[in-house]
Structures are given as C-alpha cells and as structure tokens.
Amino acid sequence: MIEALKEAKKAYAKKEVPVGAVIVKDDKIIARAHNLRETKKNVLAHAEILCIDKACKKLKSWRLDGCIMYVTLYPCQMCFGAIKQSRVEKVFFGALDSNTYEYDKDLFEYIENNECSQILRDFFKELRKE
C-alpha cells in the first residue's frame, strides 16, 4: 500500500484525484499508476485502468492470473469491471468511497489506511477553497 500511496501523491501534485494503484506478481511490482483523467483529458485514465494496461503489456496477456492489486480507494464500477475481467487474484484497498456499501469480499479486502483516506479529504478540502 505504501507504493500505491506514492502514486496517489503523484496524482495529488498534478491536481488529479489522489488515487494510486500497483500490481504485484511473484512479490514484484510489475505496474504502477495514478489518476490522470485531467492530464490526459480522458475519462478512462483511472489509476486502476492505467495500472491494468501496464501489467497486461508487461505480461503480454490480458489475463492477470496470480496478480494482486493494491489501490488507495475502493474502485468505481468501471474499474471494478476491468479488475474482474483481467482476472486479478486479489485487490487490497485502503479507503472506502462514501458510495461504497457492499463489496465482493472474495476479491476485495479492505485494509483500512488512514493516510489513504486523509489524502483524499485534504485534496477535496483544497479543491473547495479554489
């Protein structure tokens, strides 16, 4: 989660919603990404989607069997679908979205991380000041 938080901080510095993700296979990070929707002017540029894309290229496969994702915020429905389709084995997330009530506990595991929640609160607090 520390590496995913580093990615979230990169997004924050770019005035992007601070979400970061990493994908691990065989105890090695094979992909990392952070939100870039504003930068790329692309609705698909979520941290999870970008990270999955990088991992697929690295493994030369759309199947991410045996991979684990760490993401700072519970994924939106678009990212949830991409994660399921990519066959990621497990997803650990550090913060719940206020819209998250139920989640697939077989695939997703909440590892509460105050820093993951705090960076999001700080970002939106700053955004409201502008």
Side-chain angles (χ1 to χ4, degrees), residues 5 34 40 52 58 84 93 106 118 123:
L5 268 163
H34 53 276
K40 291 187 173 234
I52 288 169
K58 175 88 174 170
K84 294 277 280 191
F93 64 97
D106 291 331
Q118 190 62 49
F123 176 79

Side-chain angles (χ1 to χ4, degrees), residues 6 44-45 48 60-61 64 87:
K6 287 180 185 177
L44 302 175
E48 301 93 328
K60 296 181 174 93
S61 175
L64 300 181
R87 300 182 183 173

Side-chain angles (χ1 to χ4, degrees), residues 6 27 35 48 79 112 121:
K6 287 180 185 177
D27 296 323
N35 275 357
E48 301 93 328
C79 294
E112 186 175 357
R121 281 193 295 274

Side-chain angles (χ1 to χ4, degrees), residues 32-43:
R32 58 178 69 233
H34 53 276
N35 275 357
L36 288 173
R37 284 192 326 173
E38 299 298 330
T39 303
K40 291 187 173 234
K41 308 289 187 238
N42 186 331
V43 70

Side-chain angles (χ1 to χ4, degrees), residues 4-52:
L5 268 163
K6 287 180 185 177
E7 290 297 315
K9 289 173 184 175
K10 290 177 188 177
Y12 193 109
K14 295 175 184 175
K15 298 191 181 208
E16 296 276 358
V17 175
V19 176
V22 297
I23 294 178
V24 175
K25 183 168 176 81
D26 301 325
D27 296 323
K28 285 187 169 184
I29 294 174
I30 62 165
R32 58 178 69 233
H34 53 276
N35 275 357
L36 288 173
R37 284 192 326 173
E38 299 298 330
T39 303
K40 291 187 173 234
K41 308 289 187 238
N42 186 331
V43 70
L44 302 175
H46 287 212
E48 301 93 328
I49 300 292
L50 297 171
C51 200
I52 288 169

Side-chain angles (χ1 to χ4, degrees), residues 17-112:
V17 175
V19 176
V22 297
I23 294 178
V24 175
K25 183 168 176 81
D26 301 325
D27 296 323
K28 285 187 169 184
I29 294 174
I30 62 165
R32 58 178 69 233
H34 53 276
N35 275 357
L36 288 173
R37 284 192 326 173
E38 299 298 330
T39 303
K40 291 187 173 234
K41 308 289 187 238
N42 186 331
V43 70
L44 302 175
H46 287 212
E48 301 93 328
I49 300 292
L50 297 171
C51 200
I52 288 169
D53 186 52
K54 289 177 181 181
C56 289
K57 287 174 180 166
K58 175 88 174 170
L59 297 178
K60 296 181 174 93
S61 175
W62 64 268
R63 292 178 186 91
L64 300 181
D65 296 319
C67 290
I68 297 170
M69 178 182 277
Y70 294 86
V71 62
T72 56
L73 177 65
Y74 184 77
C76 71
Q77 289 196 2
M78 175 182 71
C79 294
F80 175 89
I83 290 165
K84 294 277 280 191
Q85 288 294 312
S86 70
R87 300 182 183 173
V88 166
E89 186 177 303
K90 191 79 173 170
V91 179
F92 294 95
F93 64 97
L96 288 165
D97 185 304
S98 59
N99 297 320
T100 306
Y101 300 102
E102 282 293 316
Y103 57 90
D104 180 344
K105 289 183 172 71
D106 291 331
L107 177 60
F108 293 88
E109 188 169 327
Y110 180 40
I111 49 174
E112 186 175 357

